[in-house]
Amino acid sequence: MSRPMKVGAVIITMGNRPDELRALIDSVAKQDGDPVQIVVVGNGSPVPDVPDGVRTVEVPENLGIPGGRNVGIEAFGPGGQDVDILLFLDDDGLLARTDTAELCREAFAADPELGIVSFRIADPDTGVTQRRHVPRLRAADPMRSSRVTTFLGGANAVRTRVFQEVGGLPDAFFYAHEETDLAWRALDAGWMIDYRSDMVLYHPTTAPSRHAVYHRMVARNRVWLARRNLPAPLVPVYLGVWLLLTLARRPSRPALKAWFGGFREGWATPCGPRRPMKWRTVWRLTRLGRPPVI
């Protein structure tokens, strides 16, 4: 019999939610099967007290979400090679069930092409899953599992071979769209992504715009995402569609000003290495229901 897949968990924290962090760690520790190894990254802040056996890494400055998670990946060896699967969990979340790690093991073992699993996020009080937390265009039924083209950054599992093959998250993004950048690179390398409604992370309902940098970074990183990953003819199409969608949502004047500032910044600043996806990947994304122009 083959050995069970080793599972690790990466949690980044700013140190400002010690009670929620402890509850999340406890929910990971209660997972069925072999124990999940946990690394907590203090992203520019000290790590609050954690239980014995939980490893901690403190970095002197806030590296942003992708940078902090990359530190967590490397804590498990280059590309996370010391484990087979890594869970990435927001520090104010909570695993709803004790079988999530086992479900991950089963999913990855059963499907050699599966590279990433996106969990369902549900409000702990109402059980409601926000539409934006279902990573597909047809998001009306959050209880339907399916193949998807991206994933949720704070509630997912990744086969570590994906990192070893395509690299980690894009540090420079800091916040927003880093998951889609990794997803597109993984899909281009032949990996698949699943959304699983039975793997649940409880997380309070929030609005992404609560972050002061939201509108600027969403726009900047959208441009970087296209410049880094899309075939040249699709770059203006993709960004033109998102410009029209943004205007259709009628944001406030300050929000729109920040968005256009970020959009300009995305064109004026380096986006990192450009590796346009293959046209067959464009077709794969299209068949999965989300062509890379939306």
Side-chain angles (χ1 to χ4, degrees), residues 23-292:
L24 171 61
I25 291 172
D26 289 345
S27 75
V28 176
K30 292 175 182 175
Q31 292 298 298
D32 302 334
D34 290 347
V36 176
Q37 302 174 44
I38 304 172
V39 166
V40 178
V41 178
N43 207 4
S45 68
V47 175
D49 290 338
V50 295
D52 293 341
V54 175
R55 287 187 289 157
T56 62
V57 181
E58 295 180 357
V59 293
E61 61 179 304
N62 183 356
L63 301 178
I65 293 172
R69 287 184 177 142
N70 284 339
V71 169
I73 294 167
E74 296 303 305
F76 288 95
Q81 67 181 15
D82 296 343
V83 293
D84 303 296
I85 303 164
L86 278 176
L87 312 180
F88 295 87
L89 307 168
D90 277 351
D91 69 343
D92 55 346
L94 185 76
L95 288 175
R97 297 165 42 160
T98 62
D99 64 349
T100 302
E102 281 288 83
L103 289 173
C104 286
R105 291 186 182 100
E106 293 169 5
F108 286 112
D111 186 352
E113 293 186 345
L114 182 61
I116 302 172
V117 173
S118 188
F119 300 170
R120 181 167 62 89
I121 293 179
D123 185 273
D125 297 322
T126 66
V128 171
T129 296
Q130 293 179 273
R131 187 181 182 90
R132 69 185 182 88
H133 284 153
V134 182
R136 59 176 178 245
L137 291 179
R138 296 184 178 91
D141 182 8
M143 301 307 295
R144 179 173 66 87
S145 299
S146 68
R147 292 283 201 205
V148 290
T149 61
T150 188
F151 64 99
L152 305 173
N156 68 80
V158 182
R159 192 191 297 264
T160 53
R161 281 178 52 203
V162 173
F163 297 126
Q164 294 151 31
E165 186 169 339
V166 307
L169 296 154
D171 287 351
F173 278 43
F174 197 85
Y175 167 80
H177 302 318
E178 67 273 4
E179 304 93 348
T180 301
D181 187 89
L182 176 62
W184 283 0
R185 286 183 282 127
L187 288 161
D188 198 48
W191 297 102
M192 300 301 290
I193 305 171
D194 279 356
Y195 166 73
R196 288 282 297 265
S197 64
D198 57 338
M199 301 181 189
V200 181
L201 184 82
Y202 283 148
H203 189 283
T205 298
T206 56
S209 55
R210 69 191 186 280
H211 300 290
V213 296
Y214 172 76
H215 296 288
R216 179 176 69 86
M217 289 196 172
V218 160
R220 182 197 69 181
N221 293 358
R222 184 80 70 184
V223 177
W224 282 357
L225 180 68
R227 289 174 59 198
R228 285 164 58 93
N229 295 288
L230 290 180
L234 294 185
V235 173
V237 179
Y238 176 81
L239 294 176
V241 167
W242 277 104
L243 172 60
L244 293 175
L245 286 173
T246 300
L247 295 174
R249 290 168 179 165
R250 304 183 69 177
S252 67
R253 186 179 295 272
L256 194 59
K257 181 179 179 181
W259 194 93
F260 273 110
F263 193 81
R264 287 191 296 270
E265 184 181 349
W267 287 107
T269 54
C271 64
R274 173 168 164 76
R275 299 186 180 97
M277 66 177 65
K278 307 173 191 72
W279 282 104
R280 69 181 180 214
T281 305
V282 173
W283 176 236
R284 173 192 265 192
L285 288 161
T286 303
R287 286 190 292 111
L288 287 169
R290 190 153 198 164

